[in-house]
Amino acid sequence: MASAAEQLAANLNFSAFSKADELKKRIWFTLGALLIYRLGTYIPLPGINPAALAQVFQQQQTGIIGLFNMFSGGAVGRMAIFALAIMPYISASIIVQLMTTVSPHLEALKKEGEQGRKIINQYTRYGTVLLAVVQAYGIAVGLEGQANVVVDPGLFFRIATVITLTGGTMFLMWLGEQITARGIGNGISLIIFAGIVAELPAAVAGTLELSRTGALSSAIILGVAVMAVAVIAFIVYMERAQRRLLIQYPKRQVSQNRMTGGESSHLPLKLNTAGVIPPIFASSLLLLPTTIANFSAQGAGAGWLSAITTHLAHGRPLYMVLYVALIVFFCFFYTAIVFNPTETADNLKKYGGFIPGIRPGERTAEYIDYVLTRITVVGAAYMALVCLLPEILISYAAVPFYFGGTSLLIVVSVTMDTVAQVQGHLYAAQYEGLIKKAKLRGKRR
């Protein structure tokens, strides 16, 4: 940890930062966009009784609603216009990416490059609207099923809720895309990150209050603090872990007495290629049954749907098993999407690179896939362990969700990714500065 901090301090040249005008614009844009998001989490839905809502949420915040509230930055507890957060977009992304593996049309679009990617993104937006409408209507029906929460229940309230929550989700999706294009870091991940971090002080204060009243022992709080530090250190170590494959380039004769090439480099394969996507996708899918159950909150089918929701409650054995299974599945699935061994092998062959002892082409692709599969097994096990162990402690000790493995993984990973992008912009600014100096010297001569 110390060496990583020293390296980070050495890499961040503050004099270069002061001259990087483009980077400063991107940072200010990102901060402004996240501020707008946070303001939206305090604007309540029309027709809601805040006092009754706070009482209902207080009774259910230790369940899956509490997990939903964490990802929405506290918007669910306040039933704000951003209560759905970005989860419908994530769910739509899952569905579209799954469809690309079974639909020839989507698979062909994926291979068309930037133009095909734009069409797929448009399909994802359509899916986001559909899922947001479904989930918003489920929330409206669920709110009407709670005593005194809705001031004037009925069709008008449901329509207003669907329009408001769907519009909030679509605005957040657009805001995330703008952050990615004009700011720093991945916009969607940063929105989730901002929601978790913003609610963290309140979670710490609530935990200390539980200790003061005797609901939680000091030993448990100390254990949670030590566990959080250990999990953060473990995440940093594992996120930096790589398997480097040696790549050799042959020597080439460019003139009668001159040879070039013969260098060697490395192909870095991250232990966790999927990043924070698996736990976010897994949590998003596990939230869907609760939303569907809200449709029948007042109907005849409420019995068996309520039973399913109860078994999928946070901390229950079925929830834990499905959570781990989905994390492992998405680790492999997303890795297969973002990294193509065949394409990598073809590029190596095109430029004359090869892995020593492995024949270029198909054999190289098989070897890369073999290595990637093995390290993904380790990465999936690491992610399941990080996300599951703290969840068990949270379930049995009633510690806030913000100290769980999923939230810590998101916060640490997004922070590392954002810092890496800042460093990249700093290096680019330094390089541009050197080019300008060289041109000035050339003109003076």
Side-chain angles (χ1 to χ4, degrees), residues 179-372:
I179 292 174
T180 302
R182 302 170 59 185
I184 288 290
N186 181 282
I188 302 300
S189 299
L190 279 173
I191 287 175
I192 299 175
F193 166 86
I196 295 174
V197 171
E199 295 295 313
L200 193 57
V204 173
T207 304
L208 295 177
E209 180 64 20
L210 290 175
S211 174
R212 189 185 67 82
T213 58
L216 279 179
S217 67
S218 300
I220 290 179
I221 293 180
L222 181 61
V224 170
V226 172
M227 179 207 68
V229 174
V231 168
I232 290 173
F234 183 57
I235 291 172
V236 172
Y237 176 79
M238 296 298 283
E239 289 297 320
R240 288 178 172 269
Q242 293 179 347
R243 169 71 188 276
R244 295 185 175 184
L245 299 181
L246 179 64
I247 305 297
Q248 191 73 36
Y249 291 92
K251 292 184 178 181
R252 295 180 180 178
Q253 187 170 357
V254 295
S255 63
Q256 187 174 0
N257 298 319
R258 186 182 172 190
M259 301 287 290
T260 186
E263 300 100 355
S264 62
S265 63
H266 292 89
L267 175 65
L269 300 177
K270 286 190 64 176
L271 188 68
N272 177 26
T273 307
V276 300
I277 296 298
I280 294 177
F281 278 13
S283 301
S284 177
L285 285 183
L286 287 175
L287 288 171
L288 287 178
T290 303
T291 304
I292 296 173
N294 287 334
F295 279 110
S296 300
Q298 298 172 324
W304 65 273
L305 282 172
S306 299
I308 293 176
T309 306
T310 302
H311 286 297
L312 285 178
H314 197 75
R316 298 299 295 268
L318 181 60
Y319 173 87
M320 296 292 190
V321 171
L322 290 178
Y323 189 45
V324 171
L326 287 172
I327 287 176
V328 172
F329 169 75
F330 283 118
C331 278
F332 283 92
F333 175 73
Y334 201 75
T335 298
I337 289 177
V338 300
F339 191 93
N340 189 335
T342 303
E343 184 179 346
T344 303
D346 290 341
N347 289 334
L348 288 175
K349 186 178 181 180
K350 179 180 178 181
Y351 293 103
F354 63 94
I355 300 175
I358 306 297
R359 185 179 300 172
E362 185 178 348
R363 291 291 181 88
T364 299
E366 292 175 356
Y367 178 74
I368 294 175
D369 183 61
Y370 169 73
V371 173
L372 189 64

Side-chain angles (χ1 to χ4, degrees), residues 49-261:
N49 183 346
L53 176 67
Q55 185 177 2
V56 171
F57 181 76
Q58 187 69 25
Q59 298 170 355
Q60 302 183 14
Q61 64 178 346
T62 57
I64 201 164
I65 292 179
L67 183 65
F68 207 169
N69 189 55
M70 180 190 76
F71 283 118
S72 66
V76 171
R78 295 182 285 270
M79 200 45 65
I81 60 175
F82 290 160
L84 284 180
I86 207 70
M87 288 304 163
Y89 176 76
I90 294 174
S91 301
S93 299
I94 298 171
I95 296 171
V96 171
Q97 288 178 359
L98 284 171
M99 291 298 293
T100 56
T101 61
V102 297
S103 171
H105 174 64
L106 291 177
E107 188 176 359
L109 287 175
K110 185 180 177 182
K111 295 178 180 179
E112 288 182 5
E114 186 64 27
Q115 186 63 30
R117 195 177 299 113
K118 287 181 180 179
I119 298 176
I120 292 177
N121 288 340
Q122 196 63 30
Y123 290 157
T124 305
R125 295 187 184 99
Y126 295 149
T128 301
V129 173
L130 179 61
L131 289 177
V133 168
V134 171
Q135 294 184 24
Y137 187 79
I139 288 176
V141 173
L143 289 173
E144 289 181 342
Q146 304 294 332
N148 302 322
V149 172
V150 179
V151 176
D152 186 17
L155 182 61
F156 179 78
F157 171 76
R158 296 184 184 185
I159 293 175
T161 300
V162 168
I163 293 174
T164 304
L165 292 182
T166 303
T169 295
M170 298 308 295
F171 176 79
L172 286 184
M173 181 187 70
W174 174 83
L175 193 66
E177 292 176 350
Q178 294 302 307
I179 292 174
T180 302
R182 302 170 59 185
I184 288 290
N186 181 282
I188 302 300
S189 299
L190 279 173
I191 287 175
I192 299 175
F193 166 86
I196 295 174
V197 171
E199 295 295 313
L200 193 57
V204 173
T207 304
L208 295 177
E209 180 64 20
L210 290 175
S211 174
R212 189 185 67 82
T213 58
L216 279 179
S217 67
S218 300
I220 290 179
I221 293 180
L222 181 61
V224 170
V226 172
M227 179 207 68
V229 174
V231 168
I232 290 173
F234 183 57
I235 291 172
V236 172
Y237 176 79
M238 296 298 283
E239 289 297 320
R240 288 178 172 269
Q242 293 179 347
R243 169 71 188 276
R244 295 185 175 184
L245 299 181
L246 179 64
I247 305 297
Q248 191 73 36
Y249 291 92
K251 292 184 178 181
R252 295 180 180 178
Q253 187 170 357
V254 295
S255 63
Q256 187 174 0
N257 298 319
R258 186 182 172 190
M259 301 287 290
T260 186

